[in-house]
Structures are given as structure tokens and as C-alpha cells.
Amino acid sequence: MASEDISRIEMLLREHFAQTDKQIAEIRTEVKAIRNDVEHLKRDVGFLHDWNLWLLMAAVTVLALPKIVECVKSLFGAIVDGLTAIVRVFRREDRA
């Protein structure tokens, strides 16, 4: 009777360990799939981040570029006006 009980316990333990090994293998497979999904998500988020930056830069350029061009024109206009005034002053002195 004792040997039958030991055999039965050994059989139950083997079944339990086999089931545990199977569950561990399934968990490892799931973990591997999750890691792959995370890597894909990282790449997708990086791609979206890059596109968001490009779109933001394009929007800022489109919205700000006219103001920048206007500012540069105004600056050059002020420089030209200043130089013209200086030239006029010197021309007047030459005539006098």
C-alpha cells in the first residue's frame, strides 16, 4: 500500500511539474510577444514624435516667415534710409 501511495504521489508530482513547465513556456511566449509589441510601439511613437516636430516646424515657418521677412525688409529699409540721410548731409556740406 505504501509503495502504491508513493507511486501515486510521484505521478501527481510529475503531472504537476509538467503542467507547471507548460505554463512557464506559455508565459515566456507571452512575454516575448509583449516585448515585440513594446518595441513596435516605441518605433511608432518615435515616428509620430518626428512627424509632430516636422509639422510643428512647418507650421511655425509658415506662420512666422512672413513676419520675419517683413522684419528683415524693415531693417534693410532703415539701414538704406540712414545711409541716404548720411549721404544727403555730406552732399549739403560739399555744396556749401
Side-chain angles (χ1 to χ4, degrees):
M1 183 91 170
S3 65
E4 289 176 11
D5 289 338
I6 292 174
S7 296
R8 181 162 169 76
I9 290 172
E10 286 176 350
M11 182 185 70
L12 290 173
L13 284 173
R14 280 191 205 109
E15 287 176 3
H16 176 74
F17 286 127
Q19 185 179 12
T20 302
D21 288 341
K22 181 181 175 185
Q23 289 173 344
I24 289 172
E26 289 173 358
I27 290 172
R28 284 184 178 155
T29 303
E30 289 177 16
V31 167
K32 187 176 180 180
I34 290 171
R35 282 185 181 161
N36 288 338
D37 290 344
V38 167
E39 289 300 317
H40 289 294
L41 287 173
K42 283 181 184 178
R43 277 188 246 123
D44 291 346
V45 167
F47 181 71
L48 287 174
H49 182 261
D50 292 343
W51 268 106
N52 285 341
L53 287 178
W54 280 106
L55 289 174
L56 180 63
M57 286 189 292
V60 166
T61 300
V62 166
L63 295 174
L65 193 58
K67 296 291 183 184
I68 293 169
V69 169
E70 181 182 321
C71 180
V72 170
K73 281 183 180 179
S74 173
L75 180 64
F76 282 124
I79 292 171
V80 168
D81 290 343
L83 290 174
T84 304
I86 291 171
V87 168
R88 282 184 193 154
V89 168
F90 282 114
R91 283 189 182 169
R92 286 184 192 159
E93 289 178 3
D94 289 342
R95 289 183 189 168

